[in-house]
Amino acid sequence: MKTLTVKELAGYFDHTLLKAFVTDEDFKKLCDDADKYGFKMVAINSAPVALCKEYLKDSPVHVGAAISFPLGQTTIETKVFETENAIANGADEIDYVINIVELKNKNYDYIKREMEAIVAVCRENGVLSKVIFENCYLTKDEIVKTAEIAREVKPDFIKTSTGFGTGGATVEDVRLMKSVVGDTVKVKAAGGIRDLETCLAMIEAGAERIGSSSSIEITEAYAKTL
């Protein structure tokens, strides 16, 4: 892996605030910090999208909406509507959670139709799409199968986790996902990435985006190493 500049590392981060118990002031700080450090995106639930878009109106930082978060247990139609609504409110990127129940049922056609529907809305609107697998609940075969569907549908990213499951990103899972999609789809690692060592290991394994609420601490730790 080539040595990154601090700015290049910062550009990997989706700076995350997905808790239910935050205030507008917390969102303001999230956006201010993302702009200050040069993070790629703020990752938020879909309700505060318009607010964060207003805070970031003069910034290159993207606003990303989490769809059907964190369980993925809404219908395709509901996910499509939430995606369209978030985009109408200013979302530049969409991270949606797959229907894990249907994956467990081996209903791969459903997973593909869901992915196609949401990716199509994103493409039509020039918005990036990310598909959250929630790997902690999946077998290796299920991860591979979902990645194979993604290789066909071509969202912009496939993503390891919500950060709200029983486990987060692992280097092994990032490598596995990347081995299936190759250069066709990018991989985002998220969930439990709280220190520099873990972050760099994810990038080394093939992650091209990092979801973290510890982006500032990791970036500052990296700056100290240079």
Side-chain angles (χ1 to χ4, degrees):
M1 190 175 101
K2 77 177 181 75
T3 303
L4 300 166
T5 65
V6 174
K7 187 179 177 184
E8 284 169 338
L9 181 71
Y12 274 83
F13 284 109
D14 288 354
H15 191 40
T16 305
L17 185 61
L18 291 159
K19 294 172 181 160
F21 48 88
V22 294
T23 65
D24 288 358
E25 271 305 301
D26 295 317
F27 287 120
K28 178 79 165 68
K29 184 178 186 317
L30 179 84
C31 293
D32 287 347
D33 286 342
D35 187 47
K36 174 184 170 185
Y37 284 88
F39 299 140
K40 185 66 179 179
M41 187 188 93
V42 292
I44 54 175
N45 286 296
S46 57
V49 163
L51 178 74
C52 289
K53 191 66 179 178
E54 177 60 26
Y55 288 147
L56 289 166
K57 65 184 177 189
D58 299 319
S59 170
V61 176
H62 284 184
V63 175
I67 303 296
S68 193
F69 196 87
L71 302 177
Q73 290 305 297
T74 50
T75 63
I76 294 174
E77 294 79 8
T78 304
K79 288 179 185 178
V80 166
F81 174 80
E82 191 182 1
T83 298
E84 290 170 339
N85 183 252
I87 292 170
N89 286 331
D92 304 291
E93 306 193 15
I94 295 292
D95 294 43
Y96 87 90
V97 187
I98 65 162
N99 190 318
I100 298 160
V101 170
E102 294 302 341
L103 180 59
K104 290 288 179 187
N105 287 335
K106 294 184 167 47
N107 192 350
Y108 305 128
D109 180 58
Y110 184 98
I111 298 300
K112 187 181 178 189
R113 281 190 292 115
E114 179 181 75
M115 201 182 297
E116 284 173 336
I118 294 166
V119 169
V121 172
C122 291
R123 275 203 198 117
E124 284 161 20
N125 290 278
V127 163
L128 291 181
S129 54
K130 306 195 200 90
V131 182
I132 307 175
F133 287 22
E134 200 68 299
N135 288 340
C136 59
Y137 301 134
L138 308 184
T139 65
K140 297 302 175 200
D141 286 346
E142 286 164 344
I143 293 170
V144 168
K145 186 65 191 176
T146 312
E148 285 172 347
I149 293 168
R151 190 175 61 202
E152 200 177 329
V153 177
K154 296 183 179 61
D156 294 289
F157 286 85
I158 52 175
K159 175 176 164 183
T160 59
S161 329
T162 62
F164 283 71
T166 54
T170 68
V171 166
E172 184 188 6
D173 284 350
V174 169
R175 278 204 198 101
L176 178 63
M177 292 162 79
K178 191 65 185 166
S179 73
V180 177
V181 295
D183 295 329
T184 311
V185 181
K186 294 174 182 175
V187 176
K188 174 177 170 180
I193 302 171
R194 298 190 185 94
D195 59 68
L196 178 60
E197 188 183 2
T198 306
C199 174
L200 293 177
M202 296 298 172
I203 294 170
E204 182 73 36
E208 294 186 61
R209 196 75 76 85
I210 302 290
S212 180
S213 54
S214 303
S215 325
I216 294 171
E217 293 83 352
I218 295 169
T219 304
E220 289 184 346
Y222 186 65
K224 283 179 187 160
T225 69
L226 296 181

